[in-house]
Amino acid sequence: MTENKKTVTRYMDGFRTSNHEQILACLTDDIVWDMPGAFHLVGKDAFDGEIENEAFVGRPNITVTRMTEENDVVVAEGAVRVARRGGGELHAVLCDVFEMTGARIRRLTTYLTEVKDG
């Protein structure tokens, strides 16, 4: 596994355990996180504030089904399930595009689509 993929794996593991320190250690200081249609964050402080989103409770169950790398870009596809604070559960498929510098994440674009069970 490449150093970039190891970083992305540590990052995902950090989200599974709500480990802010582990997640932030994977990022450059000038990290940019975009979720088209939802938010645009710049910097570690802004990123840290979104690790545990107030709309949800507990830790997310994140499954990565495929990770692909070319040059300094890692693409991770998968799914996430997490309990909603107001009841029910978010079940979504995701595609995260990680742009890397020195085996750290400098830009993340998250594409997330909710899946209706049933």
Side-chain angles (χ1 to χ4, degrees):
M1 183 180 291
T2 67
E3 290 305 311
N4 286 339
K5 284 184 177 180
K6 287 178 186 176
T7 298
V8 170
T9 299
R10 279 192 307 275
Y11 167 88
M12 293 291 193
D13 287 344
F15 260 96
R16 289 181 188 106
T17 60
S18 300
N19 186 330
H20 291 241
E21 186 175 306
Q22 181 173 329
I23 294 165
L24 296 174
C26 296
L27 311 176
T28 62
D29 291 337
D30 60 348
I31 179 69
V32 174
W33 186 10
D34 285 311
M35 186 178 292
F39 60 75
H40 170 83
L41 303 174
V42 179
K44 281 187 175 182
D45 288 342
F47 199 106
D48 191 28
E50 192 62 27
I51 291 172
E52 293 178 82
N53 185 301
E54 291 190 18
F56 304 101
V57 293
R59 295 184 172 140
N61 178 0
I62 301 169
T63 305
V64 176
T65 55
R66 179 170 42 180
M67 197 180 314
T68 307
E69 180 178 6
E70 184 172 342
N71 300 320
D72 278 330
V73 176
V74 177
V75 177
E77 296 173 78
V80 60
R81 286 184 180 266
V82 63
R84 294 180 191 273
R85 184 167 304 282
E89 182 179 69
L90 169 70
H91 175 207
V93 293
L94 65 90
C95 180
D96 280 337
V97 180
F98 299 89
E99 296 177 36
M100 312 294 292
T101 298
R104 290 176 48 212
I105 302 161
R106 70 175 170 83
R107 183 176 192 94
L108 169 59
T109 304
T110 297
Y111 301 96
L112 190 73
T113 301
E114 188 167 357
V115 176
K116 301 293 183 190
D117 292 325

